[in-house]
Amino acid sequence: MSLTETRTVPAELLESIRTKHRAVWASGDYPAVADQVIPSLGAVLVEACDVGPGDRVLDVGAGSGNASIPAALAGADVVASDLSPELLEAGRRRATDQGAVLRWETADAHALPFDDGAFDVVMSCVGVMFAPFHQLAAAELVRVTRPGGTVGNVAWTPGGFIGEMFATLKPYAPPPPPGALPPPLWGTEEHVRALFGDRVTEVRAEVRGLVVDRFADGAAFRDFFKATYGPTIATYRHLGDDAARAAELDEALAALGDRHLRDDGTMVWEYLMVRATRA
């Protein structure tokens, strides 16, 4: 699939992907990643999108509400959408604990169940990047944003820590579906501009760094992500009983974490922040 072409993806393929992705993200404990590793990232996106009282906001790939809940606490009328009902249920509990009121809806980023122009702000915080058909998902983000409204996205860059992690996982992971594009491409400004094309204006893109202070060393990072992060869990499951390959991956992930650990015990995870206006 080219960056500028919107091609119909077969319904049976989309349904197969939905089933697999729901299982991947329901495995482990992604809310622990959101709460313990990247807790501030959603609020950064909400601020960048200038979300305020009365705004109609859609969070795509919302997970457990890392961006949705800060948007609701800012006074917006928020819908949090995600493929995984388990993550949405965790989000409901988090929202109740924080006094946030919002709607939670199961939805696929490739086919959002909302009317054209239904929202003032449509955003995604390291969420839509995992929808494998990028052009289809980008078209949906724009479609449900009103003319003059805001589209905002945060994605891990290919050259940053998480991009390197996915490159490390790739030789051990199951093959992607036909036509799928790698998630970290959403962290490349040129790619995102091509996806949105002339459907948006006033594109502002900035590479930023998130300081992560959760891990004492690379092994601690590896063990945490093996227990909590769906794509990592799926990769190890794909290896099955191949202990030698699993040991290779263990070593590679620990080495990755050690390379990025700074003297002060923190890492910096690079991401691309994009904000654009619906034409």
Side-chain angles (χ1 to χ4, degrees):
M1 182 179 295
S2 74
L3 302 185
T4 56
E5 178 188 31
T6 300
R7 182 191 303 171
T8 300
V9 179
E12 61 273 16
L13 178 57
L14 281 177
E15 188 55 40
S16 171
I17 289 168
R18 289 185 189 111
T19 300
K20 290 177 181 177
H21 278 214
R22 283 178 183 137
V24 166
W25 291 105
S27 65
D29 186 3
Y30 184 75
V33 178
D35 291 343
Q36 299 179 34
V37 185
I38 60 168
S40 64
L41 198 55
V44 170
L45 177 59
V46 169
E47 181 180 4
C49 291
D50 197 24
V51 173
D55 284 338
R56 299 167 301 164
V57 175
L58 174 65
D59 185 9
V60 179
S64 54
N66 187 262
S68 308
I69 292 172
L73 293 174
D77 178 10
V78 179
V79 177
S81 68
D82 197 275
L83 261 183
S84 171
E86 293 85 353
L87 294 186
L88 295 178
E89 184 55 39
R92 287 187 185 95
R93 294 192 295 269
R94 293 180 69 245
T96 298
D97 291 344
Q98 297 182 45
V101 178
L102 61 156
R103 289 163 49 202
W104 303 84
E105 295 199 19
T106 304
D108 179 1
H110 297 117
L112 295 170
F114 308 108
D115 292 337
D116 295 358
F119 299 94
D120 301 303
V121 178
V122 177
M123 62 181 186
S124 185
C125 183
V126 295
V128 74
M129 65 181 291
F130 293 102
F133 302 109
H134 294 190
Q135 187 66 72
L136 198 57
E140 283 292 274
L141 295 182
V142 176
R143 180 186 66 79
V144 299
T145 307
R146 66 165 174 82
T150 298
V151 180
N153 190 62
V154 164
W156 305 116
T157 66
F161 179 78
I162 296 296
E164 286 192 36
M165 185 194 76
F166 277 104
T168 302
L169 292 175
K170 184 177 179 179
Y172 303 89
L181 293 175
L185 273 180
W186 273 95
T188 304
E189 180 179 350
E190 179 184 12
H191 182 73
V192 176
R193 285 182 178 273
L195 290 176
F196 289 141
D198 60 6
R199 290 171 294 189
V200 301
T201 62
E202 302 175 21
V203 178
R204 282 165 280 177
E206 180 185 359
V207 175
R208 301 183 181 184
L210 175 72
V211 176
V212 174
D213 60 1
R214 173 64 175 73
F215 307 111
D217 55 25
F221 151 73
R222 176 201 63 209
D223 292 345
F224 183 82
F225 266 57
K226 281 180 69 173
T228 61
Y229 194 62
T232 312
I233 293 168
T235 300
Y236 276 95
R237 285 180 177 169
H238 178 67
L239 295 177
D241 296 329
D242 192 336
R245 294 276 284 163
E248 286 179 10
L249 183 54
D250 276 348
E251 184 176 345
L253 288 174
L256 171 68
D258 285 334
R259 285 199 306 273
H260 282 263
L261 196 68
R262 303 188 297 182
D263 290 342
D264 65 357
T266 66
M267 301 177 180
V268 176
W269 292 8
E270 187 180 87
Y271 64 92
L272 180 71
M273 170 77 73
V274 173
R275 173 179 170 164
T277 300
R278 164 82 189 269

